Amino acid sequence: DAGVTQSPTHLIKTRGQQVTLRCSPKSGHDTVSWYQQALGQGPQFIFQYYEEEERQRGNFPDRFSGHQFPNYSSELNVNALLLGDSALYLCASSLIWGRGTEAFFGQGTRLTVV
Amino acid sequence: GQQVMQIPQYQHVQEGEDFTTYCNSSTTLSNIQWYKQRPGGHPVFLIQLVKSGEVKKQKRLTFQFGEAKKNSSLHITATQTTDVGTYFCAGPKDGGATNKLIFGTGTLLAVQP
């Protein structure tokens, strides 16, 4: 049973560029959340997708957008990259969009903006 | 806004010593979860606590959820080098029925052999 998979694992981009990160949730999970983790800090919630719709959003600008596909996989897009966007981007899947279900995290994509 | 704080930020122990990290939320939580992140790794779910005053044990790890459901603790007995990592608590935003997690600031545990 495959866990949460993310691609790519590492990425280097230049300021102003756009990036797309991908996530396949754990088998049977239908909810995907994206988190940004800066070095030495806890993960910060970006947004969550369920039934192909953005259900919740954290305090991130519109430069951050996403998508969920019918097979529950998801993409995170970041436009007009800033140096401050350099971080580990984590995808987490869960069983249902509801209360108190544990999140299974992927290994993350390490994004470096230069 | 809602905040989840953890203390200490960093703890260095000798192998065999005990370790405790404390988590405090600015809002009442319907549940609290604990995650461990090894250096260079990703957060891995450890446990979820739901009931007021709940205590759960996993081998050498003991987790508690406060009576007011605003604080929690993780205690490790007789630490081992495999316990190294950052321990995060996380609660649902606004304490309610959501999978949107607000993570604590984390406690980095270093264990010296």
Side-chain angles (χ1 to χ4, degrees), chain A residues 89-105:
Chain A
Y89 288 85
L90 294 160
C91 168
S93 76
S94 52
L95 187 57
I96 59 172
W97 181 71
R99 184 171 68 181
T101 52
E102 65 186 85
F104 288 81
F105 283 85

Side-chain angles (χ1 to χ4, degrees), chain A residues 37 56 96 98 100-101 103 106, chain B residues 35 37 42 48 98-101:
Chain A
Q37 186 176 26
Q56 299 189 76
I96 59 172
T101 52
Chain B
Y35 291 80
Q37 186 172 21
H42 59 278
Q48 176 182 280
T98 172
N99 282 341
K100 175 182 174 181
L101 294 175

Side-chain angles (χ1 to χ4, degrees), chain A residues 56-75:
Chain A
Q56 299 189 76
R57 191 176 184 92
N59 295 325
F60 280 80
D62 292 344
R63 297 187 298 109
F64 290 77
S65 63
H67 189 78
Q68 186 180 35
F69 300 93
N71 66 353
Y72 307 122
S73 67
S74 177
E75 288 182 349

